Amino acid sequence: MSDPAADLLADLTPSQQAAVQHGEGPLLILAGAGSGKTRVITRRVAYLLRQGVRPSSILAITFTNKAAGEMKNRVEQLVPGNRVWVSTFHSLGARLLRQYADRLNIDRNFTIYDVDDRNKLVKEALDALNLDSVKFTPERIAGAISKAKNQLLTPAGYERTANDFFTQTAAKVYHGYEKRLRAANGMDFDDLLYLPAMALKLNEELRADLDARFKYVLIDEYQDTNQAQYEIARRLSIHHPNLCVVGDPDQSIYKWRGSDIKNILDFERDFPAAKVITLEKNYRSTKAILHAASVVIDHNKQRKKKTLVTDNPAGDPVTVLTFDNGLDEAEGVVVRIKDAVRAGKLRYRDHAIFLRINALTRSLESAFVKHGVPFQIVKGLAFFDRKENKDVLAYLRLLVNPNDSVGFFRVVNEPARGIGKVSLDRLAKFAESHDISPLEAAGRVHQVPDIKGKAATGLRDFYRLISDLRAHLGDPPHELIRLVLDKSGYRAALAESKEEDDADRLANIDELVTAAKQFHDEDNARTLSDFLEQIALASDVDGWDENTDHVSVMTMHAAKGLEFPVVYVMAMEQGLLPHERSLAKDEDVEEERRLCFVGMTRAMRELYLTHARLREFRGQALYAVPSMFLEELPPEARHVDVSAFKNVGRTAMDEWRAKSSAAALNAGYAARKPEPVKPGVGPGDGTYSVGQVVQHDEYGIGQIVDVGGLGALRKVRIRFAKAGEKTFVADKVKLKVVTKK
């Protein structure tokens, strides 16, 4: 009798086959970059199904909607008709919270608040405590609360751990924020992990039910899980410990949002019976790219050693391009891409540009426009972030969740209904004092002192509008949006407007209707709540169109899981990559190196790493020091100085240099020969010298520009990126040498 799963194994390596065929018990798959991990996960799910495992017993979790959709499609192709639960962690959390709302004592019609919504509530909590929102910014406080939730700390628990003035203040705000969030029946992104994790931890009956339900749990990108995600995975795998995790410690890049690399490094400690399978064969990159990336990442200590190999051709050497300044860098890269496409070798869509931070895209955008090169900058779903669309979505949120205070205040006077800020402040105080929603308060506006006339009429009308629209909640989402636009007067206000941009806004809301219709047409059982949830949980890459012929520009974080024939990693300079915030701690530098590794291993055929001598950033032109990661490349990497790039005009560069005496001074410093410090002076072995990049505890990253004097009077002059030049006594100052000249 033939094996029903033979076709699933035919084109796999022995290691991949072993992972797919693994039976009961925990499994750790260490999957190197480009090693076919998605293929292995989907084949494993298909293999379990063909072995008779019920689809409802399998839960597959990944980190992006794009990856989840791809996994669903692949499983469906391999085993038609079997619908396995495949989702992101956040989608799983939202679904569990709605499904088990009664058992968790929450309202299943909650609104998922985005970052802006969250920060508004944090600001309200700050104001209620009479705290200075300039000194304690909502963004910073919100970050502290987010970290607390990822560590599964309640407001009281966080308060007990607070050990300085800032965290003690944040703990107080946390209490007020949570009160407002629950009153609004809102959930922030962290709640979608925090609340299910806490429920699984504290509610044994629910935990046992879900553990029995999901007998096989598979988690992709396990190296990027945080404490809450770890808790969910572990609690679902106690009675049925068939937990399969796939990941690569070398690609752990989300510490800044709470991920803990120890989750994958300590998997064998958490699950002593775990089988470990390593996938080391790379199917994506050339030998040259793979070797260069491997040499760089080998400088990290926090990792599990593995040797990536490939049968792909050797390919061209990794190339480092040096430009005079950031403007030349942008133009140089764009022109190189344009020339490659003109030569007929490649398409625009074959090219990707990666940056450490989105703020560096400005000069690139100008260069793309100037040279007529089509491009797409991946910055999230910018379409849904446009004011008019956020307004319409706020109306819809209010229909589903009448307690949504943020949504209420966004649209209660949009379009204008004669309701001023003073009246809204009075309404908010009335609502809070009577423990009711702002919408309900609007319905009782006659009871609110000092709200009269046009404002009172506007609030009553708004209350009636929302009440009437809620009667249509069962309508398809696109039809309900049309009704909202018409009944609210929003469409008419835009149509009658004399503002030039309002015609575009009209087009955008029409496109929103189209998006809702497409959503409904895919599955007519989907509701308005489903539509809002999909938008709320969308990630950066969800807005990326891979089928249009354009150059893709994105951060390296957004590039995770993607691949392109040609990759440019730009602005590889100290303070940018690695980021200036990482330079104080070795573990943070290691994370930046992992990020660099991720960027490099997205390239299939060609990889270019670029940097500039001068970089205009945050309003200043500064001498830029090449990234330490460039120094770690193997000797065969090719270094090309394109300062005299023929297709780039010199006017901008000359103008820039003329304006920046500091930049010109730095150019002079760069030309100096290093002057070594005598032994016994400086950092242990006396190696302070001109050209070194150092880290100071107070002033951050800087470069030594002068060393002089004798003995105890020997001094070191350093130019810092933010603080300018400072002079120190060499044997007194504490410096960490980041790179050698």
Side-chain angles (χ1 to χ4, degrees):
M1 186 177 176
S2 62
D3 183 354
D7 63 307
L8 299 177
L9 308 172
D11 57 345
L12 302 182
T13 66
S15 295
Q16 291 175 326
Q17 290 178 355
V20 169
Q21 292 178 292
H22 177 75
E24 303 284 309
L27 173 64
L28 168 61
I29 303 174
L30 292 172
S35 62
K37 65 180 177 66
T38 304
R39 178 190 300 179
V40 170
I41 298 172
T42 53
R43 297 286 180 92
R44 175 159 174 75
V45 171
Y47 185 85
L48 290 171
L49 291 170
R50 292 197 190 177
Q51 297 301 309
V53 177
R54 294 198 313 269
S56 59
S57 298
I58 302 172
L59 173 64
I61 305 172
T62 186
F63 268 75
T64 68
N65 296 317
K66 179 178 170 40
E70 184 179 348
M71 194 179 296
K72 283 180 183 176
N73 292 334
R74 289 198 188 187
V75 172
E76 174 64 24
Q77 289 170 8
L78 294 168
V79 191
N82 286 278
R83 298 184 66 88
V84 174
W85 190 343
V86 183
S87 82
T88 64
F89 263 110
H90 287 88
S91 294
L92 169 68
R95 187 167 172 181
L96 291 177
L97 290 175
R98 296 195 197 278
Q99 197 166 354
Y100 295 97
D102 294 340
R103 294 170 69 171
L104 300 174
N105 198 29
I106 61 174
D107 184 340
R108 62 172 43 86
N109 293 317
F110 57 79
T111 298
I112 300 173
Y113 278 180
D114 64 17
V115 172
D116 289 340
D117 298 331
R118 177 198 66 182
N119 291 345
K120 286 176 184 175
L121 284 190
V122 171
K123 174 71 164 56
E124 288 181 19
L126 279 163
D127 292 343
L129 293 169
N130 293 316
L131 292 168
D132 185 355
S133 59
V134 176
K135 183 178 180 181
F136 300 100
T137 65
E139 293 78 12
R140 192 180 174 203
I141 295 290
I145 294 171
S146 175
K147 186 177 179 181
K149 288 187 176 183
N150 285 331
Q151 295 173 344
L152 303 184
L153 291 172
T154 63
Y158 185 50
E159 196 167 24
R160 286 193 295 271
T161 66
N163 55 11
D164 58 48
F165 185 62
F166 175 78
T167 53
Q168 289 165 356
T169 303
K172 294 177 183 175
V173 180
Y174 188 3
H175 281 281
Y177 168 71
E178 282 295 285
K179 180 182 176 183
R180 284 166 171 76
L181 192 59
R182 301 298 161 238
N185 192 27
M187 300 281 178
D188 60 30
F189 288 131
D190 297 307
D191 283 332
L192 302 181
L193 305 177
Y194 165 72
L195 292 176
M198 292 295 283
L200 290 169
K201 185 177 179 180
L202 301 174
N203 190 327
E204 175 57 25
E205 183 183 357
L206 177 62
R207 189 213 64 76
D209 286 352
L210 289 172
D211 194 347
R213 177 179 176 182
F214 301 119
K215 292 184 173 64
Y216 294 87
V217 178
L218 301 93
I219 301 176
D220 193 12
E221 306 287 3
Y222 191 69
Q223 77 279 347
D224 289 324
T225 52
N226 60 25
Q227 182 63 31
Q229 290 161 331
Y230 166 82
E231 197 70 35
I232 292 170
R234 195 169 69 85
R235 298 280 173 179
L236 291 177
S237 308
I238 294 176
H239 292 136
H240 298 280
N242 301 318
L243 176 63
C244 169
V245 302
V246 186
D248 181 8
D250 290 339
Q251 298 185 69
S252 178
I253 59 174
Y254 287 105
K255 182 184 176 185
W256 55 274
R257 70 181 188 192
S259 72
D260 189 348
I261 194 174
K262 291 181 180 177
N263 289 348
I264 191 167
L265 294 176
D266 294 344
F267 186 82
E268 295 155 88
R269 184 200 67 186
D270 295 335
F271 297 91
K275 182 176 182 180
V276 181
I277 295 174
T278 304
L279 307 181
E280 296 181 309
K281 186 173 183 179
N282 177 284
Y283 296 91
R284 176 185 299 147
S285 306
T286 63
K287 286 183 174 67
I289 293 170
L290 197 61
H291 177 62
S294 298
V295 169
V296 171
I297 199 63
D298 201 44
H299 285 77
N300 274 8
K301 295 177 181 177
Q302 263 196 318
R303 62 189 299 257
K304 286 182 178 284
K305 288 278 187 180
K306 60 183 176 299
T307 303
L308 293 178
V309 297
T310 184
D311 294 334
N312 291 334
D316 295 332
V318 172
T319 301
V320 178
L321 301 174
T322 302
F323 295 88
D324 277 320
N325 58 56
L327 298 176
D328 284 6
E329 180 191 38
E331 288 230 10
V333 169
V334 170
V335 170
R336 290 175 76 91
I337 292 172
K338 187 175 183 177
D339 288 346
V341 175
R342 277 180 173 174
K345 299 187 298 181
L346 296 158
R347 302 163 298 180
Y348 287 118
R349 61 191 286 186
D350 294 326
H351 296 81
I353 298 173
F354 301 155
L355 299 162
R356 175 63 177 86
I357 55 176
N358 265 321
L360 296 171
T361 61
R362 180 180 58 82
S363 56
L364 270 172
E365 292 182 61
S366 299
F368 279 125
V369 173
K370 176 181 176 180
H371 293 283
V373 173
F375 69 100
Q376 180 184 24
I377 296 179
V378 181
K379 293 183 180 179
L381 289 186
F383 174 74
F384 295 111
D385 289 334
R386 291 167 180 158
K387 178 193 177 298
E388 58 274 16
N389 287 337
K390 292 200 76 167
D391 288 344
V392 177
L393 292 172
Y395 269 107
L396 300 177
R397 285 167 31 179
L398 200 55
L399 300 185
V400 175
N401 173 21
N403 292 324
D404 181 1
S405 59
V406 176
F408 173 88
F409 287 112
R410 181 177 184 97
V411 294
V412 66
N413 202 41
E414 195 67 58
R417 297 184 174 90
I419 310 167
K421 184 178 182 303
V422 173
S423 296
L424 290 176
D425 287 343
R426 289 168 178 166
L427 187 81
K429 288 178 182 177
F430 179 84
E432 188 169 1
S433 65
H434 288 74
D435 197 25
I436 59 177
S437 71
L439 180 64
E440 187 176 345
R444 293 163 57 178
V445 68
H446 59 282
Q447 300 176 14
V448 184
D450 301 320
I451 299 182
K452 309 291 183 186
K454 194 172 182 179
T457 302
L459 286 166
R460 275 194 299 271
D461 290 346
F462 184 76
Y463 176 80
R464 293 186 188 117
L465 169 69
I466 299 301
S467 299
D468 291 344
L469 287 170
R470 293 195 77 230
H472 296 271
L473 273 172
D475 295 359
H478 57 286
E479 293 180 7
L480 187 51
I481 294 174
R482 288 196 184 104
L483 198 62
V484 166
L485 291 171
D486 292 340
K487 296 289 186 182
S488 67
Y490 198 97
R491 182 187 293 279
L494 287 178
E496 294 165 8
S497 172
K498 305 293 185 189
E499 294 289 329
E500 187 176 339
D501 293 339
D502 282 344
D504 290 337
R505 295 190 176 102
L506 267 174
N508 287 333
I509 61 175
D510 286 337
E511 186 60 28
L512 181 64
V513 173
T514 300
K517 187 176 186 307
Q518 290 171 345
F519 177 83
H520 182 260
D521 289 345
E522 288 172 7
D523 182 354
N524 58 22
R526 289 171 165 177
T527 64
L528 177 62
S529 293
D530 297 328
F531 180 62
L532 293 173
E533 184 170 302
Q534 177 174 284
I535 294 171
L537 297 180
S539 64
D540 284 357
V541 181
D542 294 336
W544 172 59
D545 181 2
E546 60 187 301
N547 298 313
T548 303
D549 192 27
H550 54 221
V551 181
S552 295
V553 182
M554 64 188 75
T555 66
M556 281 176 282
H557 286 98
K560 185 77 170 291
L562 306 179
E563 62 182 26
F564 299 87
V566 183
V567 165
Y568 288 84
V569 181
M570 292 181 61
M572 289 196 63
E573 297 144 20
Q574 292 295 117
L576 293 176
L577 181 66
H579 196 280
E580 60 186 357
R581 290 193 300 265
S582 72
L583 295 169
K585 294 182 180 178
D586 289 342
E587 63 186 65
D588 292 340
V589 171
E590 289 206 358
E591 171 133 340
E592 292 290 297
R593 187 177 285 108
R594 291 194 293 268
L595 186 59
C596 180
F597 175 80
V598 167
M600 294 175 72
T601 53
R602 301 310 94 194
M604 301 164 69
R605 288 157 42 189
E606 299 176 29
L607 173 62
Y608 300 91
L609 311 174
T610 77
H611 69 102
R613 292 192 177 92
L614 299 173
R615 176 75 59 188
E616 188 176 25
F617 188 55
R618 295 172 182 162
Q620 289 184 302
L622 300 171
Y623 178 67
V625 179
S627 170
M628 59 193 297
F629 305 144
L630 295 178
E631 295 186 4
E632 296 170 357
L633 291 168
E636 63 267 22
R638 184 170 59 191
H639 292 258
V640 181
D641 191 329
V642 287
S643 304
F645 193 68
K646 294 180 180 178
N647 294 319
V648 179
R650 314 311 304 164
T651 305
M653 180 193 73
D654 295 338
E655 214 171 84
W656 190 0
R657 282 181 171 167
K659 289 179 181 177
S660 176
S661 59
L665 195 60
N666 273 322
Y669 290 141
R672 288 192 186 186
K673 293 181 179 180
E675 302 176 32
V677 177
K678 292 182 179 180
V681 180
D685 61 351
T687 56
Y688 286 154
S689 61
V690 173
Q692 286 180 324
V693 180
V694 295
Q695 174 77 20
H696 188 277
D697 287 345
E698 181 177 354
Y699 300 117
I701 190 71
Q703 186 173 35
I704 296 177
V705 297
D706 198 16
V707 178
L710 298 171
L713 298 178
R714 198 161 181 80
K715 294 182 178 180
V716 180
R717 184 151 54 97
I718 305 168
R719 190 178 196 285
F720 295 97
K722 293 183 178 179
E725 289 188 8
K726 304 286 181 182
T727 301
F728 307 92
V729 177
D731 63 354
K732 300 284 188 182
V733 66
K734 293 183 179 178
L735 300 171
K736 176 184 176 182
V737 177
V738 180
T739 64
K740 297 179 180 179
K741 177 69 176 175

